């Protein structure tokens, strides 16, 4: 099977040349997203929604991303990375304006769906562009830095948006997101053209791409799904456990801040590890760290112990930085890159959408500690799946003809 490493890269660039055109705009985009994320629930409450309805409305952003992942692949294939970034930015602007001007929760719900769809198009387009211009040997560092830039912005966003929220209420953070979406979109639309950006036939149907690559999506994709669940579930589980042990909201916020700092600090080291030691050697430890963190939650009876667990989960998330994007580009078939990556992202995003819901359902049926143990078991299963199917030794990934693990043959041809 031809992999992402077979794509022509005659104009490969150094990572530092992407700082102002890609990484800084991603920080900017992340700042707006991070500032607005906790405010959408408050906006729903302002419009008269109950706590349960507010939570469901916020979850619609994840649903919008899941629904848009597959179409996003065809959008990038047809109009190129720059055009897709412009479209994604426009969708984001519409979504934020719906939220700001919403007269009722229905309009806010539509805005959340638009926001999720914007994130799907933005995410795929930026990934596709970086892969097109970066040498395959630097792919891990490039994509982990890209993910780290977004997470850095998301971490800083609530602090920078606090002043506007104090002066304008929840809409203050939404106005900040609107501004950063426009600025980041304008900066990335101005990126230079790539060979792939000039010719996007987009001739592959979604069904044909999924069917032809069903073996890879069903094996490696199962691991990606479990990564998405492990990453997203901690956002739901940690605050619930903090409330369970009687921690104050300010303490909970500090705990999240510590976890976020660890996550960001690991961004570049995770990329170096990916490029030097390989995808399997990075993915398996990250999932085992997730498993250890979730298994420790039922034993955290104080804020200090919970902070230790949160930092461990932040470390796990940081080690996995860029992992799923990198593996996806490694195994993407030649000529179907954008469409395949849309399907690949869908596996991860389904996990991200389902993970927090699973926490709520399991906790409602049993007790909160059981949800933590279930997540630890799921993370362990993810580690086993990565050990079985993820690409192995780093030397094979460093060559121009990267190989997928021999355990994951393409549906129509054996991996060479």
């Amino acid at each position: 099977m031809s992999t992402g490493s077979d794509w022509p890269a005659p104009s490969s660039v150094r990572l530092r040349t992407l700082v102002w055109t890609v990484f800084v705009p991603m920080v900017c985009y992340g700042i707006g997203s991070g500032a607005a994320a906790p405010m959408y629930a408050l906006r729903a409450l302002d419009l008269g929604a109950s706590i349960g309805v507010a939570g469901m409305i916020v979850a619609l952003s994840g649903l919008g991303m899941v629904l848009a992942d597959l179409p996003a692949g065809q959008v990038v294939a047809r109009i190129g990375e720059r055009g897709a970034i412009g479209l994604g930015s426009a969708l984001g602007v519409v979504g934020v304006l719906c939220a700001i001007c919403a007269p009722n929760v229905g309009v806010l719900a539509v805005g959340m769906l638009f926001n999720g769809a914007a994130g799907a198009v933005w995410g795929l387009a930026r990934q596709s562009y970086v892969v097109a211009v970066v040498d395959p040997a630097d792919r891990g560092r490039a994509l982990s830095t890209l993910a780290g830039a977004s997470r850095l912005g998301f971490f800083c966003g609530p602090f920078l948006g606090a002043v506007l929220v104090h002066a304008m209420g929840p809409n203050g953070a939404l106005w900040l997101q609107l501004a950063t979406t426009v600025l980041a979109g304008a900066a990335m639309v101005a990126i230079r053209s790539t060979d792939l950006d000039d010719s996007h036939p987009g001739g592959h149907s979604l069904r044909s791409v999924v069917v032809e690559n069903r073996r890879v999506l069903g094996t490696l994709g199962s691991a990606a799904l479990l990564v998405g669940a492990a990453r997203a579930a901690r956002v739901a589980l940690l605050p619930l456990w903090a409330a369970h042990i009687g921690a104050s909201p300010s303490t909970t916020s500090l705990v999240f801040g510590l976890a976020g700092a660890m996550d960001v600090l690991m961004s570049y080291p995770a990329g170096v590890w990916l490029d030097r030691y390989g995808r399997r050697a990075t993915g398996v430890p990250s999932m085992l760290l997730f498993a250890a963190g979730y298994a420790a939650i039922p034993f955290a009876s104080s804020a200090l112990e919970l902070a230790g667990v949160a930092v461990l989960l932040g470390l796990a998330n940081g080690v996995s930085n860029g992992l799923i994007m990198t593996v996806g580009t490694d195994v993407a078939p030649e000529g179907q890159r954008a469409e395949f990556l849309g399907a690949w992202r869908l596996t991860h995003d389904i996990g991200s959408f389902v993970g927090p819901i699973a926490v709520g359902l399991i906790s409602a049926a049993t007790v909160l500690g059981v949800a933590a143990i279930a997540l630890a078991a799921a993370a362990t299963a993810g580690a086993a799946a990565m050990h079985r199917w993820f690409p192995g030794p780093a030397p094979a990934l460093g060559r121009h003809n990267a190989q997928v693990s021999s355990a994951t043959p393409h549906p129509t041809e054996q991996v060479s």
Side-chain angles (χ1 to χ4, degrees):
M1 180 182 71
S2 297
T3 68
S5 294
D6 297 320
W7 304 329
S11 55
S12 296
V13 299
R14 295 182 178 274
L15 295 189
R16 63 172 178 266
T17 65
L18 300 178
V19 170
W20 293 105
T21 56
V22 176
F23 299 139
V24 169
M26 278 311 307
V27 173
C28 182
Y29 189 86
I31 285 173
S33 299
M39 295 298 114
Y40 282 110
L42 299 182
R43 180 75 178 115
L45 294 175
D46 286 346
L47 293 172
S50 65
I51 292 177
V53 171
M56 292 177 62
I57 288 175
V58 172
L60 288 176
S61 178
L63 178 60
M65 185 171 290
V66 167
L67 294 175
D69 274 329
L70 287 176
Q74 286 204 317
V75 167
V76 174
R78 290 182 181 278
I79 66 176
E81 288 87 2
R82 292 185 301 174
I85 288 170
L87 175 60
S89 300
L91 290 173
V93 167
V94 171
V96 177
L97 286 175
C98 283
I100 292 173
C101 304
N104 53 58
V105 293
V107 176
L108 177 60
V110 172
M112 296 305 295
L113 287 171
F114 269 100
N115 278 341
V121 177
W122 240 87
L124 183 58
R126 76 195 187 205
Q127 177 184 357
S128 182
Y129 177 78
V130 169
V131 171
V133 300
V134 171
D135 188 270
D138 296 327
R139 182 177 294 158
R141 278 172 290 176
L143 292 175
S144 64
T145 302
L146 181 68
S150 178
R151 294 181 186 186
L152 175 61
F154 200 88
F155 171 70
C156 296
F159 300 102
L160 298 177
V163 175
L164 292 174
V165 172
H166 179 73
M168 306 170 61
N171 273 351
L174 303 190
W175 282 113
L176 176 60
Q177 184 183 26
L178 180 65
T180 56
T181 297
V182 172
L183 289 174
M188 290 198 70
V189 166
I191 56 179
R192 70 181 182 85
S193 177
T194 68
D195 292 339
L196 295 174
D197 198 39
D198 290 330
S199 180
H200 292 268
H204 305 285
S205 70
L206 297 178
R207 183 179 182 278
S208 67
V209 171
V210 171
V211 170
E212 290 174 20
N213 297 281
R214 61 187 180 278
R215 185 74 177 272
V216 173
L217 293 171
T219 52
L220 282 77
S222 66
L225 185 149
L226 291 170
V227 171
R231 286 171 169 174
R234 68 195 180 109
V235 180
L237 186 57
L238 284 176
L240 292 175
W241 193 262
H244 174 71
I245 63 175
S248 66
S250 59
T251 299
T252 303
S253 180
L254 179 60
V255 166
F256 265 83
L258 292 172
M262 175 60 72
D263 188 350
V264 172
L265 286 173
M266 285 302 300
S267 295
Y268 190 77
V272 174
W273 192 274
L274 273 170
D275 287 332
R276 186 170 298 174
Y277 300 107
R279 287 35 165 169
R280 183 188 300 156
T282 304
V284 172
S286 72
M287 292 305 282
L288 292 178
L289 287 170
F290 271 121
Y294 283 124
I297 285 180
F299 303 99
S301 57
S302 68
L304 183 61
E305 291 171 347
L306 184 62
V309 171
V311 169
L312 179 58
L313 290 172
L315 175 64
N317 205 47
V319 172
S320 71
N321 223 329
L323 173 68
I324 300 304
M325 288 194 294
T326 305
V327 172
T329 57
D330 286 339
V331 301
E334 186 175 4
Q336 298 178 350
R337 184 189 71 189
E339 296 95 335
F340 174 84
L341 289 179
W344 174 254
R345 287 177 62 88
L346 178 63
T347 62
H348 176 271
D349 290 344
I350 288 175
S352 299
F353 180 60
V354 171
I357 295 176
V359 170
L361 293 176
I362 295 173
S363 300
T366 55
V367 294
L368 195 57
V370 173
I373 298 302
L375 287 168
T380 303
M386 289 181 181
H387 185 269
R388 175 71 175 86
W389 290 307
F390 267 29
L397 293 168
R399 294 195 301 267
H400 202 62
N401 292 318
Q403 294 180 340
V404 183
S405 172
S406 59
T408 54
H410 189 271
T412 57
E413 54 182 332
Q414 198 73 14
V415 177
S416 59

